[in-house]
């Protein structure tokens, strides 16, 4: 008999789960990253990575971008859309993760992880594409290709 993630977290202090999907890239990779989850026992903070379960039964692992009184505004690092999630949907919170196949553990309290968080705002800004006119984006992309071409010679 298979246990649910909720049951696993109730029995153990931490549980390990392989990620599925690309919504948290570049931090977590589809079927290559393993997250370490702990039960969410206290209110989450901005930038926590929360595991929640939608009423449809689907599990989602996304980042808290805003804390509200009864809900969280949550978004995947590789997504533009945000979702309002009631606090009662929250199952767990990420304590750390294992990078790809190298099996290097990165704690959410580590300097490496904090440095990643510092880049989130810029990445989301660039990802939106709305901040830069299309012509400027194309010129930047062309410049990047030219610079990369110099290194490939």
């Amino acid at each position: 008999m298979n246990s649910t993630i909720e049951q696993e977290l109730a029995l153990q202090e931490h549980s390990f789960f392989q990620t599925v999907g690309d919504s948290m890239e570049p931090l977590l990779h589809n079927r290559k990253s393993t997250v370490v989850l702990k039960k969410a026992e206290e209110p989450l903070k901005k930038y926590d990575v929360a595991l929640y379960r939608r009423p449809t039964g689907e599990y989602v692992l996304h980042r808290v971008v805003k804390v509200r009184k009864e809900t969280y505004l949550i978004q995947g690092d590789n997504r533009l859309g945000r979702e309002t999630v009631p606090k009662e949907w929250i199952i767990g919170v990420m304590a750390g993760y294992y990078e790809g196949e190298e099996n290097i553990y990165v704690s959410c309290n580590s300097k490496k992880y904090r440095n990643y968080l510092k880049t989130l705002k810029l990445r989301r800004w660039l990802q939106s594409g709305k901040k830069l006119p299309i012509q400027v984006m194309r010129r930047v992309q062309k410049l990047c290709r030219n610079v990369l071409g110099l290194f490939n010679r």
Side-chain angles (χ1 to χ4, degrees), residues 139-151 153:
R139 286 184 183 156
V140 169
Q141 289 171 343
K142 183 178 179 182
L143 177 64
C144 289
R145 281 193 300 273
N146 290 340
V147 169
L148 288 173
L150 291 174
F151 291 110
R153 290 183 183 171

Side-chain angles (χ1 to χ4, degrees), residues 69-84:
K69 189 175 181 178
E70 299 296 325
T71 62
Y72 297 105
L73 192 59
I74 294 185
Q75 178 179 11
D77 288 0
N78 192 28
R79 296 292 184 260
L80 294 175
R82 295 177 171 188
E83 182 175 6
T84 299

Side-chain angles (χ1 to χ4, degrees), residues 20-26 28-30 77-79:
V20 177
D22 65 355
S23 67
M24 287 299 291
E25 287 186 358
L28 304 173
H29 300 280
N30 184 35
D77 288 0
N78 192 28
R79 296 292 184 260

